[in-house]
Amino acid sequence: CIQNRDLHKRTSFYFCILEKRCYNIGMKRRRKNRNKKKKISILLISILLVLLAFVGVKHFKTKYVEQADAEMRIERPNIEVDLLTVNPYSRPGFQSDKINNIVIHYTANPGSSAKQNRDYFESLKDTKARKASSHFIVGIDGEILQCVPTWEIAYASNDRNHDTVSIETCHRGEDGTYTEETYESLVHLTAWLCEKFDLTEEDLIRHYDVTGKICPKYFVEDEDAWKAFKQDVKKVLEKE
């Protein structure tokens, strides 16, 4: 009986030691698992914060912004606002991204007026002949019409519609040269838009620079005239 009691004590003792060791091993594993989960959670949170920061910065960089007219130094040109009806063919109503360039075009329709070209864009909602429009049109007599708000895209510059403002220019002859009135209004309007969107003369491009199309004809075929135009815009921007 004494031997049995001793055996029982020894067995209980060893069992307690084994149980304690198992408990300690279990605790270590649980702590290890908790630490592992904690590290994974921290990593996931860090990745999420980086993604949110990236999306936020990207959104800020691509968001449409403009300077208020009251804060601008260059006087607003005389612009007649005659907006197109929202439609899928000439004014889709899509939001523009941050404006990175001003694109100069020509109508390729000698002798036509700004109003006639504006009305053509408007007619596309009914004819569905093509997708075309422009934010502004400068007429032969120097008049300026606005067809599409600058915070919306116009169907003018192909894959650059989303981040550009487009200006169509009217001309008398096939060679695409401008009247003095058209040229002066174009310089003024372009400089004003540059200030509004924090751009310089180096941010002016031709439709030709986007697609290779001979547009505007005068500024494509006469590179010196294009350079002179950019310099004239620069003078207005730098004028005190």
Side-chain angles (χ1 to χ4, degrees):
C1 291
I2 294 172
Q3 289 179 346
N4 289 339
R5 283 197 297 271
D6 290 341
L7 179 62
H8 178 71
K9 287 181 179 179
R10 285 196 296 270
T11 302
S12 299
F13 175 73
Y14 289 130
F15 180 79
C16 288
I17 292 175
L18 180 62
E19 185 178 29
K20 187 174 182 181
R21 286 183 177 177
C22 290
Y23 174 78
N24 290 337
I25 292 172
M27 287 297 292
K28 287 180 179 178
R29 286 179 177 175
R30 283 193 287 272
R31 282 197 296 269
K32 186 177 181 180
N33 288 335
R34 282 199 298 269
N35 290 336
K36 186 177 181 180
K37 289 180 180 179
K38 185 177 180 181
K39 289 179 180 178
I40 292 174
S41 298
I42 292 172
L43 178 62
L44 290 174
I45 292 172
S46 299
I47 292 173
L48 180 60
L49 290 173
V50 170
L51 288 173
L52 289 173
F54 174 77
V55 171
V57 170
K58 185 176 181 182
H59 176 70
F60 176 77
K61 286 183 177 179
T62 60
K63 185 179 179 181
Y64 175 93
V65 290
E66 66 170 48
Q67 189 171 346
D69 289 356
E71 299 172 354
M72 293 176 59
R73 181 184 56 79
I74 298 174
E75 183 180 358
R76 176 186 172 90
N78 184 17
I79 301 172
E80 179 184 348
V81 179
D82 192 3
L83 300 180
L84 304 174
T85 304
V86 176
N87 72 90
Y89 293 89
S90 53
R91 186 189 167 190
F94 300 148
Q95 176 79 31
S96 294
D97 291 331
K98 179 180 181 294
I99 302 302
N100 293 314
N101 297 98
I102 309 298
V103 188
I104 309 301
H105 302 254
Y106 90 133
T107 64
N109 188 12
S112 61
S113 68
K115 183 69 165 68
Q116 287 172 327
N117 283 280
R118 181 265 172 208
D119 290 346
Y120 167 72
F121 293 147
E122 177 71 13
S123 73
L124 294 175
K125 76 179 190 301
D126 302 314
T127 65
K128 302 177 174 58
R130 57 187 290 229
K131 292 182 177 181
S133 58
S134 183
H135 291 96
F136 299 93
I137 307 172
V138 181
I140 292 174
D141 296 323
E143 72 276 21
I144 302 172
L145 292 185
Q146 182 172 8
C147 306
V148 178
T150 54
W151 54 85
E152 294 180 16
I153 72 165
Y155 284 143
S157 304
N158 304 75
D159 60 355
R160 293 298 310 281
N161 287 333
H162 69 100
D163 69 339
T164 59
V165 169
S166 56
I167 305 174
E168 283 281 359
T169 51
C170 297
H171 49 97
R172 290 195 188 279
E174 294 287 349
D175 61 357
T177 55
Y178 302 123
T179 63
E180 184 178 346
E181 293 83 358
T182 300
Y183 186 81
E184 289 180 356
S185 290
L186 177 61
V187 169
H188 186 181
L189 173 62
T190 304
W192 179 74
L193 288 170
C194 281
E195 183 181 5
K196 177 171 280 292
F197 297 110
D198 193 25
L199 304 174
T200 73
E201 76 282 355
E202 296 304 321
D203 299 309
L204 306 179
I205 59 176
R206 302 160 292 187
H207 194 185
Y208 169 79
D209 299 312
V210 180
T211 66
K213 180 180 180 180
I214 306 303
C215 174
K217 184 178 175 67
Y218 175 55
F219 284 153
V220 173
E221 295 184 346
D222 190 338
E223 191 70 27
D224 289 338
W226 173 243
K227 292 177 180 178
F229 168 71
K230 292 170 69 174
Q231 287 302 307
D232 287 338
V233 171
K234 181 180 181 180
K235 290 175 184 176
V236 177
L237 287 171
E238 293 179 345
K239 188 176 181 180
E240 294 295 337

